[in-house]
Amino acid sequence: MIQPDRLSDPAVRSLVAAVNSGDRSAFLGLLTDGATMSDDGSDRDLVQWIDKEIFTVGGHMDVESESDGGRSLIARFRNDTWGEMRTAWRFVVEGGKISRFETGQA
């Protein structure tokens, strides 16, 4: 596993740390205005999704590997609803903030 503080991209590093500490405000502060996301190829309402999948259900990421300068991750993601699953994450970073992320089962 890669410790979050060792991830290559600063924005992604901070986002993983926010997920793992349950810090919703920090997570939202890492996003551009109008940021978007998709889950398993379907666009979702970002705020509704993070509340349902991360912040109200103990979401946590254990990063297995990174590529694309730290903007693509393979992680074991777990929450109280779904348990643990192997997931892929891809981030678009603009000006130090995340403008889009895509996740799904790996």
Side-chain angles (χ1 to χ4, degrees), residues 1-5 7 12-24 26-27 30 54-55 58-64 73 75-79 89:
M1 295 298 160
I2 302 172
Q3 295 301 313
D5 63 350
L7 294 170
V12 173
R13 178 185 324 132
S14 295
L15 185 130
V16 172
V19 167
N20 290 349
S21 66
D23 191 339
R24 183 179 184 275
F27 184 103
L30 296 164
I54 299 173
F55 293 108
H60 189 88
M61 295 173 74
D62 289 321
V63 178
E64 293 180 357
L73 307 177
R76 295 211 170 269
F77 180 78
R78 67 180 178 273
N79 66 29
W89 298 74

Side-chain angles (χ1 to χ4, degrees), residues 85-105:
M85 64 189 80
R86 193 164 187 255
T87 55
W89 298 74
R90 183 177 174 284
F91 299 90
V92 177
V93 179
E94 298 175 3
K97 292 196 168 206
I98 295 167
S99 62
R100 180 169 177 82
F101 68 91
E102 299 169 352
T103 188
Q105 291 194 45

Side-chain angles (χ1 to χ4, degrees), residues 8 78 80 83-84 105:
S8 299
R78 67 180 178 273
D80 297 338
E84 184 176 278
Q105 291 194 45

